Amino acid sequence: AQSVTQLGSHVSVSEGALVLLRCNYSSSVPPYLFWYVQYPNQGLQLLLKYTTGATLVKGINGFEAEFKKSETSFHLTKPSAHMSDAAEYFCAVKDDKLIFGTGTRLQVFP
Amino acid sequence: DTAVSQTPKYLVTQMGNDKSIKCEQNLGHDTMYWYKQDSKKFLKIMFSYNNKELIINETVPNRFSPKSPDKAHLNLHINSLELGDSAVYFCASSFTGTSGSGEQFFGPGTRLTVL
């Protein structure tokens, strides 16, 4: 069965600092991987996805993620955090259904 | 031109009552889902319908009954509400084709509070 582990339930960064949110997956087949963002009191919005091809995937709002098969990782990064990036971030792997990680809350301090 | 919409956005009710949440998508997708997000933000799928047919039914109490009148609608009826049912319920939809990634589009959620 596929699974997702997000390391760190809370991440705090200063505005302008690098954002790194970690995600490791377990899958017996080539995975489809996703990052979703949830702003307060809103639904989930797709940030980016990896299916096949280029392992560095660019998403919305300046985020990107790199699929590393050898490390079974799909970490999310952004070079410079903005206050508006404060939200809950979910990594997910697709089996016959989407399996979500437990989420990482990103706080951005001025 | 909302893609996935849910009503109501907030639902406050007493234990033992029966309530329904409605979901509609205008994306032309063939698969719809219900998720439950608990107070710790953990998201878990409850049901999935493909072309009005139930294809995923996770371990959910049978007090929860989904109904899909057509591909664009998926409703969730909950009988005999319990305190533990308090959560945010999200509807989502996707196109489940062999060439697609099946990315899901989510509605804004329905916050259910059972008193």
Side-chain angles (χ1 to χ4, degrees), chain B residues 72-83:
Chain B
H73 295 84
L74 179 62
N75 303 323
L76 183 64
H77 188 76
I78 316 171
N79 288 327
S80 303
L81 278 155
E82 301 178 356
L83 293 176

Side-chain angles (χ1 to χ4, degrees), chain A residues 79-93:
Chain A
S80 176
H82 294 158
M83 297 293 290
S84 60
D85 294 327
E88 192 88 22
Y89 291 80
F90 293 93
C91 182
V93 63

Side-chain angles (χ1 to χ4, degrees), chain A residues 68-83:
Chain A
K68 291 188 177 180
K69 185 178 178 181
S70 60
E71 299 177 9
T72 61
S73 69
F74 190 56
H75 301 331
L76 182 71
T77 60
K78 182 174 179 177
S80 176
H82 294 158
M83 297 293 290

Side-chain angles (χ1 to χ4, degrees), chain A residues 1-5 24-29 31 93-97 99, chain B residues 58:
Chain A
Q2 297 186 336
S3 65
V4 170
T5 301
N24 288 87
Y25 69 90
S26 169
S27 175
S28 57
V29 298
V93 63
K94 184 174 180 291
D95 192 341
D96 60 332
K97 56 187 181 241
I99 298 166
Chain B
E58 294 293 295

